[in-house]
Amino acid sequence: MTPRITLLAGGVGGAKLAEGLAAIYPPERLSIIGNVADDQEFHGLWVSPDIDTLTYSLANLIDRKQGWGLTGESHRVLAGLERLGCETWMSLGDQDMATHIFRTQLRHQGIRPSAIAQKIAESLGVTINLLLPTDDPLQTRVRTEQGWLAFQEYFVRERCLPEVQEVRFEGATEARATPEALAAIKTADIVLIAPSNPVVSIAPILAVPGIRRALETTRAVRVAVSPLIGGRTVKGPADRMLSAMGYPCSNLGVAASYTGLLDGLVIDQDDGADRAELEAKDLRVMTMATLMTRAEEKARVAEETIAFADTFRREREEVEA
Ligand code: GDP
Ligand code: CA
């Protein structure tokens, strides 16, 4: 039987591995749990950047240069909003706006956010199970020298420049996990954590009560792909954020942020020096070229990661047999 795979993913880094998996794996055996804590309301519309990045990437509609937003976008609505005196630092394209109008409309009808996400994905031709960790409000806030900022204020408006002193996930204690996300972790044969920002893309998923526990107790083999290459992020503030949270700014920090949740870690070939120390912490380690720019690279990383996870999944099965 083809192993069932569940991927935990943020936005751009998450979408790269998601695309690689989608290219080589049967969609009905693949589930993706995305991050909703970056969501924010703009111009009365509910925007869900990480979920849209996943959806647009898997639909092959993403703007490949930016890594987010739709390809061939115009920004006439935004220009109109600017004329009306609105703040327009969140660059929402015209077609993208349609997604947010649709999402907001369905939310007002009381439809579950995860059903809306799945509906948008299906409408764009995505056949993979795209799941949300929770249908309840969950919002990342970061404390900087300017005080507490909403995540998009920090990430987009302030371009990640202020030093992050503290991170909190508003709503996490009251949030209920979706039964679909819990089931996808519990019934998976392999759970993968994408090369996403551990502090603000994966941690908010894990902060939903029940999700971390499901990952601790699942029978699945659990493997993360590190978002660091040569000890640095490819893009974005994950390296600085790990340091700010008191973790080493290396794969040791990535592993530490996932303590108790991992059987294996895929690290880049440039970070082979981290291997011994990671293995001393009881982690299986695989080194490979993890930079994913072209479609072939995404598929190869997906394939090698599955093969790595599958070797010790089989070993485990043999021990139990
Ligand atoms: P965001 O939500 O759009 O910020 O994206 P994610 O949290 O999913 O991913 C951000 C992380 O992806 C950054 O820390 C990057 O270092 C990492 N990343 C981006 N591209 C690659 C890649 O090609 N390979 C690896 N290993 N990591 C990547
Ligand atoms: Ca994000």
Side-chain angles (χ1 to χ4, degrees), residues 10-12 35 38 49-50 151-152 155 200-201:
V12 174
N35 171 37
D38 285 10
D50 282 3
F151 187 71
Q152 298 304 330
F155 198 73
V200 290
S201 286

